[in-house]
Amino acid sequence: MDEEEKKREQADDELINGAFETLLKSYLSTRHRKKVDLITKAYNFARQAHKGVRRLSGEPYIMHPIAVAQIACSEIGLGSTSICSALLHDVVEDTDYTVEDIENIFGPKIAQIVDGLTKISGGIFGEQASAQAENFKKLLLTMSDDIRVILIKMADRLHNMRTLESQPPNKQYKIAGETLYIYAPLAHRLGLYKIKSELENLSFRFEHPEEFASIKAKLASTEASRHDLFDEFIVPIEEELQKMGFQYNIKERVKTPYSIWTKMQNKHVAFEDIYDILAVRIIFKPRSHEEEENECFNIYLAISRIYKSHPDRLRDWISHPKANGYQALHVTLMSNQGRWIEVQIRSERMDEIDEQGLAAHWKYKDGDEEEEYTEDETVLNEWLQTIKEVLDDPQPDAMDFLDAIKLNLFASEIFVFTPKGEIKTMPAGCTALDFAFSIHTFLGSHCIGAKVNHKLVPLSHKLQSGDQVEILSSKSQHVEPSWINYVSTAKARNKIQAILRRQSRDVQKRGEELLASWLQGHGHEYSVVVADRLAEYHDYKRRDDFFQALGTKTVILGEKDLDELAGKNKKKQSSGGWLKYVPFVKTKKQEEDPEAELFVVPEKFNRKKPIYINEQTIRQYLFPTCCHPIPGDDALGYITNKNQIEIHKRSCPVAARLKSAFGNRILDAKWDMHKQLFFIATIRISGIDRVGLLNEITQIISAQMSVNIRNLNITCDGGMFDGTLELRVHDREDVHKIIDNLKKVDDLKEISEIV
């Protein structure tokens, strides 16, 4: 071994030993039983197993398991069983050791958790789907036995996001997309708000680096004025709390860059127009555990005498905690500067549960048995039950499966009452039919309506917090396909789909027999390839849907189908509404055959390298109608089932699902345009109506900036106007320049881009 290698090995040893020492110190400062020997044994085993292996960042691989264990210990509050499982979580996947080896050395509990954390490939969704959906399914199955699996997985995902810099861009978009779509909502559901916020911000940073940097800079530039507002706002509150004799801490909470950006996108507003960037958190030490809820309300009454409270913005999570255990009283007060400020009132215990989520419950248990699960975890039982039901009847498609899980992850909650006065927590936006299925599948499938607050309502009636609901049923009632439109919860949707699938199997079989008979009668042999071809010709993505249409006589086979099999029909544009929306540059060949010049991805295609979109290559890609990307937008490529490439905005909702379900097909896409082609952009304007205003607007756009207005739509009402401008622009920079110039027009109050 030469001198250079020795130095490197010595530096590695110092780095690794330092990280492990920090982990042990963190563990020893917790209230868990001290099992240092077991943790050291797991560390030595993992270090030996990963010896000589490095991560893409260049650091020794063992640093990753240590970092995951550190997060599990200090940021989630887990104990020795979880720390050992975190240290060992990649051993089975990346080395020759098996789950049986782990069980023999560390016992069945750690082995079970490590097995749940071990990634798998392939699975029930077939080759076309991402293994990620199958991994997630296994994770949820194991989670229903031991919640620690998902908590350690959160720590693993958080460290991967913190070190995402070393990955190529296409991998960054895949991992960031999955994180936003699945892991951040899951962290929210488990009450891990700190981790949820960091996951969202890291995803945002990698997917939209320029926008992330811009918002960070604006937050930094407005920091001093926020501090002044906060300092002035809390002076009378502190005086009141001291009079009441409380020990307290008042914190300033600033909205994260991701949540600011999301609000800017959803509300079509600029950073300067977001007024709830600042919130105030009052954390107090209760005089006794029995009194802490009453004391929250006493503080609320005291501060609402100082500042006027918003009548519609009191959120009582004290009497009715969220399903993840979150408790606090939220009230919005009017400051002396005329700004609404949200104040969150909570005890130290409530704050700790907010910071660390579910695991913080363990700190308040009787006895010191490490990680013994008691009734504290019943807050998750209903949700885990829903997950189990989804897993019992998995969807055949990865996207459907992920969507079904996601339906129940991020739902806000309402409280409804049964006829006997029992309280049930339901997702906001749920209907009477959702409520029926939440009680029992039989009741849901035979539901004919409901009585809400003693009034008859239909199945589709949306429930509000505080409603008392009685479900009406009849044995003669059966599930209808239209019911899928009446529900919003994963449980109800999955039960309806399962019942409909059972009902439709006979119809599908009849349709398949009809097709086989028709083909035989016209001299063709039935095969899956022929069925798929005809299904695609009739715009059905799935063969079973095509058989269903044949069985119900929605589709009648005829001459055109024979022409399709003989190859006589003109080639149709790919289904799903994909359009080439660069209408000013279509070639004659493209007009005749929209897919003629499309690039087809070869077998040995380097997916790590970015694809460049320029004036010559733009015709080779598909531009979906879901998000209309234009030069300057953060974009990515997606390889379709036909091996063609679609271009999406990275923030597109469709792309978010694609990143989660088909991450291995994501490509980095970069623009290399030179202001030669035109694209459509839409700007929304509103303000005070006056004579000559429209003329000023069109003068700026057409005369000063030489931009072609493709469409203009203005409506006036009560002295105010609202309208949209559809413009032909070269890129996103043009749009920003137009908006900046329009801001100079008097009486034009709101200008935003519709994206």
Side-chain angles (χ1 to χ4, degrees):
M1 189 186 290
D2 61 25
E3 199 64 36
E4 196 65 39
E5 276 183 52
K6 272 185 186 172
K7 276 185 183 173
R8 190 176 182 184
E9 202 168 283
Q10 195 177 346
D12 284 351
D13 285 345
E14 284 176 19
L15 185 73
I16 295 164
N17 292 334
F20 183 62
E21 285 300 317
T22 305
L23 173 64
L24 280 184
K25 275 182 196 167
S26 301
Y27 172 65
L28 289 167
S29 67
T30 65
R31 303 177 208 181
H32 289 293
R33 288 195 306 172
K34 305 300 176 274
K35 294 185 179 175
V36 174
D37 291 349
L38 184 66
I39 292 171
T40 307
K41 183 180 172 186
Y43 158 70
N44 289 327
F45 184 86
R47 186 171 179 182
Q48 188 58 41
H50 294 300
K51 194 173 183 181
V53 181
R54 291 185 180 276
R55 299 189 87 205
L56 280 178
S57 59
E59 69 178 14
Y61 193 89
I62 187 64
M63 291 298 289
H64 170 64
I66 295 172
V68 173
Q70 180 70 51
I71 293 167
C73 174
S74 59
E75 296 185 50
I76 304 179
L78 298 168
S80 59
T81 303
S82 304
I83 291 168
C84 292
S85 302
L87 288 167
L88 299 165
H89 80 271
D90 277 337
V91 166
V92 173
E93 186 198 1
D94 295 341
T95 73
D96 292 333
Y97 289 104
T98 63
V99 175
E100 287 74 25
D101 296 330
I102 302 291
E103 187 170 349
N104 291 336
I105 301 165
F106 297 99
K109 181 49 74 178
I110 289 174
Q112 182 196 7
I113 296 171
V114 170
D115 186 37
L117 289 160
T118 301
K119 302 180 190 76
I120 53 174
S121 56
I124 61 164
F125 300 115
E127 292 172 16
Q128 294 300 318
S130 164
Q132 184 59 35
E134 175 65 16
N135 292 339
F136 193 61
K137 176 178 180 286
K138 177 139 192 273
L139 181 66
L140 292 169
L141 280 168
T142 316
M143 180 183 79
S144 58
D145 297 325
D146 196 322
I147 195 69
R148 286 173 289 197
V149 175
I150 201 79
L151 294 169
I152 298 164
K153 185 65 184 174
M154 279 295 155
D156 179 42
R157 177 53 58 133
L158 182 56
H159 186 249
N160 282 335
M161 287 301 295
R162 285 173 178 173
T163 56
L164 199 55
E165 201 85 60
S166 55
Q167 294 282 357
N170 66 320
K171 278 279 177 68
Q172 288 178 355
Y173 306 150
K174 167 197 181 292
I175 294 165
E178 269 170 19
T179 300
L180 265 187
Y181 196 72
I182 296 171
Y183 289 95
L186 198 49
H188 174 89
R189 185 64 170 169
L190 293 166
L192 304 168
Y193 290 116
K194 250 177 132 177
I195 288 176
K196 170 218 163 199
S197 292
E198 191 176 347
L199 288 175
E200 287 175 341
N201 274 326
L202 287 167
S203 299
F204 177 40
R205 181 187 142 206
F206 285 105
E207 290 210 293
H208 305 283
E210 288 174 14
E211 282 153 319
F212 177 79
S214 167
I215 291 173
K216 285 280 279 187
K218 284 173 180 171
L219 280 172
S221 68
T222 55
E223 190 174 8
S225 62
R226 268 199 315 278
H227 285 329
D228 292 344
L229 175 63
F230 174 76
D231 291 342
E232 188 184 319
F233 182 75
I234 66 167
V235 168
I237 294 176
E238 287 188 311
E239 287 172 5
E240 191 62 36
L241 290 172
Q242 282 160 11
K243 270 189 218 168
M244 295 169 80
F246 281 113
Q247 287 183 42
Y248 65 88
N249 181 15
I250 300 184
K251 289 182 188 173
E252 182 180 354
R253 188 194 65 83
V254 178
K255 225 175 177 58
T256 63
Y258 173 77
S259 58
I260 291 169
W261 178 76
T262 305
K263 195 157 192 176
M264 286 165 67
Q265 301 299 304
N266 293 343
K267 304 271 186 189
H268 303 302
V269 293
F271 177 88
E272 293 71 27
D273 298 325
I274 295 176
Y275 294 111
D276 59 346
I277 287 174
L278 173 72
V280 172
R281 197 169 276 174
I282 299 172
I283 302 152
F284 68 94
K285 190 169 189 174
R287 295 179 180 93
S288 69
H289 180 63
E290 292 75 28
E291 282 295 305
E292 69 176 345
E293 292 187 8
N294 289 337
E295 286 173 348
C296 283
F297 284 98
N298 290 339
I299 291 170
Y300 158 63
L301 289 170
I303 63 174
S304 61
R305 283 194 289 265
I306 303 167
Y307 296 111
K308 288 280 180 276
S309 62
H310 194 296
D312 300 325
R313 289 207 195 155
L314 176 65
R315 298 284 179 269
D316 175 12
W317 300 113
I318 301 285
S319 311
H320 305 298
K322 290 187 179 182
N324 53 28
Y326 177 84
Q327 279 186 294
L329 197 58
H330 293 196
V331 56
T332 303
L333 303 173
M334 176 59 79
S335 70
N336 294 334
Q337 286 105 322
R339 294 272 293 273
W340 287 112
I341 294 177
E342 185 182 75
V343 178
Q344 300 169 359
I345 305 164
R346 54 176 71 163
S347 68
E348 287 176 345
R349 179 189 66 84
M350 294 171 190
D351 188 59
E352 205 161 354
I353 287 170
D354 177 37
E355 294 287 307
Q356 291 196 326
L358 189 76
H361 284 289
W362 299 327
K363 297 187 176 183
Y364 298 96
K365 289 181 183 175
D366 298 326
D368 63 352
E369 193 61 34
E370 189 225 355
E371 295 178 4
E372 272 294 311
Y373 295 110
T374 65
E375 70 281 352
D376 288 314
E377 295 210 358
T378 56
V379 292
L380 276 168
N381 281 354
E382 280 190 28
W383 180 59
L384 289 183
Q385 190 55 42
T386 301
I387 297 295
K388 283 180 185 175
E389 285 168 359
V390 173
L391 294 168
D392 287 344
D393 188 33
Q395 301 296 315
D397 183 85
M399 300 280 270
D400 290 346
F401 172 72
L402 292 172
D403 285 348
I405 294 294
K406 191 158 190 315
L407 273 174
N408 264 44
L409 291 186
F410 224 173
S412 301
E413 290 152 347
I414 62 169
F415 304 98
V416 292
F417 296 91
T418 66
K420 291 181 180 175
E422 293 166 10
I423 195 165
K424 277 189 79 76
T425 304
M426 294 291 292
C430 71
T431 62
L433 190 55
D434 283 310
F435 185 75
F437 274 103
S438 76
I439 295 168
H440 199 281
T441 304
F442 181 84
L443 190 62
S445 57
H446 293 88
C447 176
I448 53 172
K451 278 186 179 177
V452 173
N453 306 325
H454 309 293
K455 288 181 184 172
L456 275 172
V457 296
L459 305 175
S460 57
H461 177 82
K462 285 198 174 177
L463 302 178
Q464 305 294 323
S465 221
D467 282 348
Q468 188 169 27
V469 188
E470 181 188 351
I471 298 299
L472 307 173
S473 63
S474 163
K475 285 184 180 177
S476 60
Q477 175 72 297
H478 296 289
V479 173
E480 300 287 336
S482 60
W483 284 19
I484 211 79
N485 302 315
Y486 301 158
V487 294
S488 65
T489 59
K491 177 176 181 176
R493 182 163 293 199
N494 275 280
K495 288 298 174 191
I496 291 167
Q497 284 173 334
I499 293 163
L500 289 174
R501 273 201 296 277
R502 281 199 294 274
Q503 289 175 2
S504 68
R505 275 176 201 138
D506 291 342
V507 180
Q508 284 174 15
K509 198 174 179 196
R510 191 162 66 243
E512 191 173 6
E513 286 166 358
L514 269 171
L515 176 63
S517 167
W518 180 84
L519 286 168
Q520 196 176 0
H522 290 87
H524 290 276
E525 197 175 323
Y526 172 81
S527 71
V528 169
V529 175
V530 169
D532 282 343
R533 188 168 171 183
L534 288 175
E536 189 180 348
Y537 175 68
H538 285 279
D539 288 329
Y540 288 97
K541 287 182 180 175
R542 293 171 63 243
R543 197 186 318 135
D544 287 350
D545 294 339
F546 178 53
F547 291 154
Q548 182 84 15
L550 288 171
T552 55
K553 303 282 195 300
T554 308
V555 169
I556 307 288
L557 298 167
E559 286 296 317
K560 285 189 176 179
D561 297 282
L562 291 173
D563 290 344
E564 173 62 22
L565 293 175
K568 292 177 187 175
N569 286 338
K570 262 194 172 184
K571 199 172 180 186
K572 291 170 69 173
Q573 189 168 348
S574 59
S575 62
W578 303 141
L579 300 174
K580 298 288 284 183
Y581 82 104
V582 193
F584 317 108
V585 293
K586 278 190 180 174
T587 61
K588 191 166 187 299
K589 193 177 178 187
Q590 255 187 325
E591 292 288 354
E592 291 166 3
D593 185 351
E595 295 192 12
E597 298 177 32
L598 292 178
F599 175 71
V600 177
V601 176
E603 200 172 318
K604 290 184 178 176
F605 184 70
N606 187 347
R607 299 184 183 201
K608 288 182 183 176
K609 282 190 174 178
I611 54 169
Y612 287 90
I613 310 162
N614 56 39
E615 284 79 2
Q616 284 70 47
T617 61
I618 195 165
R619 299 173 185 83
Q620 298 177 4
Y621 305 121
L622 291 163
F623 284 79
T625 55
C626 52
C627 59
H628 286 314
I630 72 172
D633 287 333
D634 292 331
L636 57 78
Y638 166 70
I639 301 170
T640 69
N641 291 340
K642 292 183 174 183
N643 285 326
Q644 294 160 352
I645 296 175
E646 292 171 4
I647 306 297
H648 290 263
K649 284 183 186 175
R650 286 181 219 155
S651 56
C652 167
V654 173
R657 296 168 71 224
L658 294 172
K659 281 178 278 189
S660 304
F662 306 107
N664 55 332
R665 299 195 205 169
I666 299 298
L667 306 171
D668 183 20
K670 296 191 184 301
W671 298 97
D672 182 25
M673 307 295 282
H674 306 91
K675 292 190 181 284
Q676 291 174 23
L677 305 183
F678 286 103
F679 299 80
I680 303 300
T682 307
I683 292 174
R684 185 171 177 269
I685 54 174
S686 60
I688 300 161
D689 190 22
R690 64 171 165 81
V691 175
L693 182 67
L694 188 57
N695 185 43
E696 276 184 56
I697 292 167
T698 53
Q699 277 292 315
I700 284 174
I701 294 169
S702 301
Q704 287 182 29
M705 304 189 71
S706 303
V707 171
N708 189 350
I709 299 176
R710 191 164 177 257
N711 197 354
L712 179 75
N713 188 5
I714 302 278
T715 54
C716 298
D717 185 24
M720 306 296 289
F721 78 90
D722 195 50
T724 54
L725 299 161
E726 211 173 79
L727 310 171
R728 280 174 54 162
V729 296
H730 292 301
D731 50 32
R732 195 61 67 196
E733 186 187 3
D734 283 359
V735 180
H736 294 154
K737 278 181 185 169
I738 292 163
I739 289 174
D740 288 342
N741 280 326
L742 288 175
K743 281 179 179 174
K744 296 169 189 171
V745 177
D746 289 338
D747 299 323
L748 203 52
K749 299 298 180 189
E750 286 184 14
I751 308 156
S752 59
E753 188 185 342
I754 297 176
V755 290

